[in-house]
Amino acid sequence: MVSVIGAGAWGSAIFYAISQKIETVITSRRKRNIEKFVSLEKALKNEYIIIAIASQSIKDFLETNKEKIKDKKILIASKGIDNKTNKFLNEIFEEYVDRNNLAFLSGPSFAKEVKENKPTALVIASQNEKLADKFSTFFPKFIKIYKSNDVIGVEVAGAYKNVIAIASGICEGLNLGNNAKAALIARGLVEMDRFGEFFGASKDTFLGVAGAGDLFLTANSTMSRNYRVGLNLAKGKTLDDILKELKEVAEGVYTTKAIYNIATKKGIYTPIANEVYKIIYERKKVKDSLRDLLS
Ligand SMILES: NC(=O)C1=CN([C@@H]2O[C@H](COP(=O)(O)OP(=O)(O)OC[C@H]3O[C@@H](n4cnc5c(N)ncnc54)[C@H](OP(=O)(O)O)[C@@H]3O)[C@@H](O)[C@H]2O)C=CC1
Ligand SMILES: O=C(CO)COP(=O)(O)O
C-alpha cells in the first residue's frame, strides 16, 4: 500500500492516478472529505510514501515527523528550492532519510489533465535505480515514466521552470509578442541548464521532459499558477491579491528568492531569475524589467 501526503491539486491527482493500480491512502494538513483519507499517523505506517506538499513547508514537515519518516521509501513530487536554507530538496531530505530511499518525480503534468487520464510523461530520478523502478510500477499506463539518475538536474528543472513561467506570464501581460516570449523561454532553458550544470546536473536532463517539456508546458499556459502570477503582475495586480485569488501554491514566487540567493553567492549568471526577483522582492516596475532583459 502507498501513502500520498498532500491532498492539494497535485497530491490528489497522483492519488487518483495510482489508485487505479495500487491500494493508496491520502492525508493532508487540512482534512478532506474523500474516501481513503487517513490520519498522518496512519499514512506514515506505509513503506512507500509520495510527498506532494508545498516545497517551503517540507523542512518543517520532515523535522516534525523525522522519527516516523526516516526508514520510509519516498517519492518527492514537489517542485521548489527551500528559500530559508537555500538548499535543494534532496539536500534537505538527505538530512533525514538515506539517499537510497529517495526518488524525485517531475515533468510536464498539469494536475487537471492527470485527473482526466490524459497522456502524461514524467521522470523519476534516484540514485537507486531499483527504487525508481519500484515507484514507476505504481503509475497507470496513461502516465509514461522515464528514469534518471540525475537527481539534481531533475530537481533544478522542475523548480526553475516555475520562475521562467512567471517571466513568460509577465511577457504575455506586457503584450510583448510571441517572438519575445519564444526568446525568453529559450533563454530561460539555457539559464536553468547553466544553473543546474553548476551543481553537476546533466545537460540532457534539461533537453528532456523535466526541463524543456515542463518549461514549454508551464510557460505557455494559463493553467499554470506561476504563469498566471506573471500575467497578473504585468496587469498591475499586487502579489498578495494574486496569491489570494489563486488559492493554490505558486512555487516560483518562493523559488525565485532561493535561486537569487544561491546565484548571487556562487556567481552564477541568472538574468531572468534576477529580474523576476527584483519585480517580486524589490518592487521593480514590471514594464521596465523584461524589456531590459529582452533588449
Ligand atoms: N498542480 C499541479 O499541476 C502540479 C503541482 N506540482 C507540485 O506539487 C506541489 C504541491 O502543489 P499543489 O498540490 O499543486 O498545490 P496546492 O496549493 O493545491 O496544495 C499545496 C499542498 O501543500 C500542503 N501544504 C501547504 N503548506 C503546508 C504546510 N505548512 N504544512 C503541510 N502541508 C502544507 C497543502 O496542504 P493542505 O491543503 O491540507 O493545507 C496541500 O496539500 C508543488 O511543489 C507543485 O509545484 C507538480 C506537478 C503538477
Ligand atoms: O508543475 C506543473 C506542471 O508540470 C504545474 O505548474 P504550476 O505550478 O505553474 O501550476
Side-chain angles (χ1 to χ4, degrees):
M1 193 187 290
V2 180
S3 296
V4 174
I5 297 180
W10 191 219
S12 52
I14 292 173
F15 168 72
Y16 163 78
I18 68 172
S19 296
Q20 297 173 40
K21 267 199 83 179
I22 186 167
E23 204 179 334
T24 310
V25 294
I26 187 167
T27 190
S28 204
R29 175 182 55 170
R30 290 175 295 150
K31 192 170 176 357
R32 292 330 195 266
N33 186 18
I34 45 179
E35 199 198 350
K36 302 279 187 180
F37 188 96
V38 299
S39 67
L40 175 61
E41 190 180 3
K42 187 157 185 221
L44 288 176
K45 288 191 186 323
N46 285 326
E47 182 184 8
Y48 291 94
I49 309 280
I50 300 177
I51 294 183
I53 65 174
S55 299
Q56 305 304 321
S57 63
I58 282 178
K59 170 73 179 167
D60 289 347
F61 173 82
L62 291 175
E63 186 59 32
T64 307
N65 299 287
K66 58 188 167 188
E67 283 312 309
K68 296 189 186 114
I69 204 97
K70 65 182 181 352
D71 300 319
K72 301 301 174 184
K73 295 183 175 58
I74 305 174
L75 178 64
I76 295 100
S78 305
K79 295 174 177 177
I81 303 172
D82 183 276
N83 68 20
K84 291 180 278 305
T85 62
N86 297 318
K87 286 183 177 177
F88 298 120
L89 296 185
N90 75 294
E91 293 176 298
I92 292 177
F93 270 92
E94 285 173 19
E95 292 168 11
Y96 299 91
V97 181
D98 186 300
R99 64 168 49 180
N100 284 311
N101 286 343
L102 297 175
F104 291 80
L105 179 74
S106 203
S109 53
F110 285 139
K112 179 176 177 296
E113 294 188 3
V114 168
K115 284 184 177 168
E116 293 164 354
N117 274 24
K118 288 188 173 168
T120 298
L122 297 174
V123 58
I124 293 180
S126 177
Q127 304 301 342
N128 179 347
E129 188 177 357
K130 285 196 173 61
L131 183 69
D133 284 334
K134 181 70 179 171
F135 272 117
S136 66
T137 64
F138 298 164
F139 288 85
K141 276 210 172 319
F142 77 89
I143 297 180
K144 174 163 180 53
I145 299 287
Y146 293 91
K147 281 186 304 175
S148 166
N149 60 8
D150 184 14
V151 168
I152 195 63
V154 166
E155 264 201 85
V156 166
Y160 215 117
K161 63 90 184 175
N162 287 327
V163 178
I164 308 301
I166 292 174
S168 184
I170 292 173
C171 194
E172 180 71 22
L174 290 176
N175 203 17
L176 294 179
N178 294 308
N179 300 354
K181 187 195 273 189
L184 180 81
I185 292 171
R187 295 310 299 164
L189 184 59
V190 170
E191 183 173 314
M192 70 159 81
D193 169 61
R194 181 188 301 127
F195 185 86
E197 285 198 54
F198 183 92
F199 296 98
S202 158
K203 189 180 282 296
D204 289 348
T205 298
F206 297 94
L207 295 177
V209 289
D214 207 357
L215 176 61
F216 296 163
L217 176 87
T218 314
N220 280 301
S221 170
T222 52
M223 285 175 71
S224 157
R225 285 82 51 101
N226 290 284
Y227 185 81
R228 296 205 300 272
V229 165
L231 202 55
N232 287 307
L233 282 172
K235 291 178 177 171
K237 285 190 182 177
T238 66
L239 185 62
D240 283 352
D241 288 349
I242 295 167
L243 295 179
K244 246 185 242 132
E245 209 177 295
L246 266 186
K247 297 192 178 63
E248 293 180 11
V249 72
E251 290 275 20
V253 170
Y254 315 103
T255 293
T256 297
K257 187 174 184 183
I259 291 172
Y260 181 80
N261 292 341
I262 296 166
T264 304
K265 185 175 175 202
K266 303 281 188 185
I268 309 169
Y269 182 52
T270 55
I272 299 173
N274 292 355
E275 282 305 312
V276 175
Y277 174 84
K278 288 175 192 158
I279 292 164
I280 292 178
Y281 293 96
E282 296 178 353
R283 304 247 178 281
K284 180 173 180 179
K285 286 225 173 317
V286 171
K287 64 176 176 36
D288 302 339
S289 67
L290 282 189
R291 194 175 287 280
D292 297 350
L293 201 67
L294 294 170
S295 59

